[in-house]
Amino acid sequence: QVQPVESGGGLVQPGGSLRLSCAVTGRTFSRFAAAWFRQAPGKEREFVAAINWSGGRTDCADSVKGRFTISRDNAKNTVYLQMNSLRPEDTAIYYCAARYGMEFPPPSYDYWGQGTQVTVSS
């Protein structure tokens, strides 16, 4: 069973940085596309960033472009989200998702983590 597990969330002041990690176990990770989504209180879940199986292609939402960077280390079965210049509106639960295959971006994601809370506040 494939299981993404997020870590690295927490409380940070506006303008600060955090790095989220997502460890994916269960199958050959290098054959998975992966992504980060987030959901703020009272809002729908939204796409943040995605990366293809090799790390050679990425995509991100306009709201985080230039501030967030997605990357992966296939040797460690891990995807990262580096978040800089954080704003209060970035406060949300951040979810990691994965989908097996080379299609990018994938039409949907099959495997989801439990989420990690990110709070940006002074």
Side-chain angles (χ1 to χ4, degrees), residues 36-40 43-48 61 63-64 67-68 83 86 89-95:
W36 290 93
F37 290 77
R38 68 185 181 185
Q39 187 167 18
K43 295 186 177 180
E44 294 186 354
R45 185 172 61 194
E46 65 174 357
F47 168 77
V48 176
S63 59
V64 305
R67 301 189 298 123
F68 292 11
M83 306 186 294
L86 282 160
E89 54 264 38
D90 295 318
T91 295
I93 299 174
Y94 283 71
Y95 297 92

Side-chain angles (χ1 to χ4, degrees), residues 6-56:
E6 305 94 339
S7 61
L11 173 65
V12 63
Q13 292 187 342
S17 298
L18 277 177
R19 189 177 79 157
L20 305 183
S21 299
C22 174
V24 181
T25 60
R27 292 186 69 177
T28 305
F29 177 63
S30 61
R31 297 181 182 179
F32 281 84
W36 290 93
F37 290 77
R38 68 185 181 185
Q39 187 167 18
K43 295 186 177 180
E44 294 186 354
R45 185 172 61 194
E46 65 174 357
F47 168 77
V48 176
I51 190 165
N52 77 330
W53 65 276
S54 68

Side-chain angles (χ1 to χ4, degrees), residues 28-114:
T28 305
F29 177 63
S30 61
R31 297 181 182 179
F32 281 84
W36 290 93
F37 290 77
R38 68 185 181 185
Q39 187 167 18
K43 295 186 177 180
E44 294 186 354
R45 185 172 61 194
E46 65 174 357
F47 168 77
V48 176
I51 190 165
N52 77 330
W53 65 276
S54 68
R57 295 181 63 189
T58 62
D59 188 22
C60 69
D62 288 343
S63 59
V64 305
K65 199 162 291 183
R67 301 189 298 123
F68 292 11
T69 302
I70 189 170
S71 62
R72 67 190 294 159
D73 184 340
N74 285 344
K76 296 182 178 180
N77 289 3
T78 302
V79 179
Y80 304 99
L81 185 68
Q82 178 66 46
M83 306 186 294
N84 299 328
S85 302
L86 282 160
R87 305 166 180 169
E89 54 264 38
D90 295 318
T91 295
I93 299 174
Y94 283 71
Y95 297 92
C96 178
R99 180 183 172 101
Y100 185 84
M102 300 180 69
E103 182 180 10
F104 187 80
S108 62
Y109 290 87
D110 300 319
Y111 306 101
W112 293 83
Q114 293 299 308

